[in-house]
Amino acid sequence: MPKTRLQGISSMATRQVLAELVAGFEAVSDASVAIESVGGVDAAKRVQAGEAFDVVILASDAIDKLIAAGHLQPGSRVDLVRSGVAAAVREGAPLPDLGSEDAVRSAVLAARSISYSTGPSGVALARLFERWGITDQIRGRTVQAPPGVPVASLVARGEVELGFQQLSELLGVAGITVAGPLPPAIQITTTFSAGIPVHTPQAGVVRAMLAHMTAPAAADAKRRQGMEPA
């Protein structure tokens, strides 16, 4: 009997954890799963444009918008992981103090250049800088990574001094050192969720996969990739 083939799309932040969770599901099912990871903004646009997928995995608010717009099945949202933001510097560079809100603000002001993503964490960071009243001060040295381009790659190449992104996207990247997570007072936590497109003929298989991905046994894989079960 031919294997069931599932085609999905996700944001870059969940690329590694999904690879591990998908492999676990494929090992216990007759399905093969291919999930393309791109910038979250681009992923949402492609779903809105009617591109055919069996599962969509994005930040929960993006999933909610796609459900409200009629692209994903009502009630199909399944929360998979919670992901926090960390900061990174180039390997060998001094590590900034990130122990408090004031320390992070000082580190941002002291950095010759900083970078964050176009995703939900970047939007939240921009709001934080506005709240601190430093947006104008750092405007000329802020580099927003283009969709799908990891902040870590800019840090590793020495193009930016201090980079902020989901911890999951910084782990295991050569040429950088993770300086640490944002402190609890200003930590930015994004919940990543799955939704099922309205036109997929494989909704039942997708539900089985999502049940596997949210089972207690999947928690270790999520933590290995710098995330927490949702």
Side-chain angles (χ1 to χ4, degrees), residues 10-228:
S10 78
S11 55
M12 295 294 288
T14 51
R15 182 170 53 94
Q16 298 284 12
V17 72
L18 287 175
E20 193 165 345
L21 295 175
V22 160
F25 177 66
E26 287 178 331
V28 297
S29 72
D30 68 348
S32 69
V33 185
I35 296 180
E36 182 184 358
S37 296
V38 300
V41 174
D42 289 343
K45 283 179 181 171
R46 286 170 61 180
V47 175
Q48 288 161 351
E51 197 168 330
F53 297 104
D54 300 302
V55 64
V56 179
I57 298 157
L58 295 170
S60 56
D61 60 339
I63 292 294
D64 287 344
K65 286 174 185 169
L66 290 171
I67 290 173
H71 299 290
L72 303 179
Q73 295 179 18
S76 69
R77 175 180 145 184
V78 174
D79 296 341
L80 297 176
V81 289
R82 290 196 313 275
S83 179
V85 170
V89 295
R90 197 175 191 185
E91 191 173 13
L95 296 182
D97 177 8
L98 303 173
S100 68
E101 179 171 354
D102 284 345
V104 176
R105 186 177 184 275
S106 296
V108 169
L109 287 171
R112 287 190 300 273
S113 52
I114 64 167
S115 183
Y116 51 83
S117 75
T118 54
S121 64
V123 173
L125 273 167
R127 281 201 296 263
L128 178 65
F129 298 155
E130 281 173 21
R131 179 163 70 75
W132 285 346
I134 65 172
T135 301
D136 289 339
Q137 279 176 267
I138 64 173
R139 194 184 309 279
R141 46 199 169 96
T142 299
V143 179
Q144 191 170 41
V149 175
V151 169
S153 67
L154 303 182
V155 176
R157 292 198 296 264
E159 292 177 25
V160 295
E161 187 175 300
L162 183 63
F164 294 93
Q165 199 156 27
Q166 310 278 345
L167 174 60
S168 62
E169 293 190 72
L170 300 175
L171 289 177
V173 176
I176 70 167
T177 301
V178 176
L182 292 179
I186 54 169
Q187 179 55 270
I188 298 159
T189 303
T190 302
T191 298
F192 288 95
S193 308
I196 303 176
V198 291
H199 297 305
T200 174
Q202 308 288 1
V205 182
V206 174
R207 286 191 200 97
M209 180 178 73
L210 297 178
H212 188 270
M213 289 181 168
T214 52
D220 284 347
K222 294 171 183 177
R223 293 193 176 103
R224 266 196 298 278
Q225 302 298 339
M227 297 179 164
E228 287 293 321

Side-chain angles (χ1 to χ4, degrees), residues 5 24 216:
R5 296 188 180 278

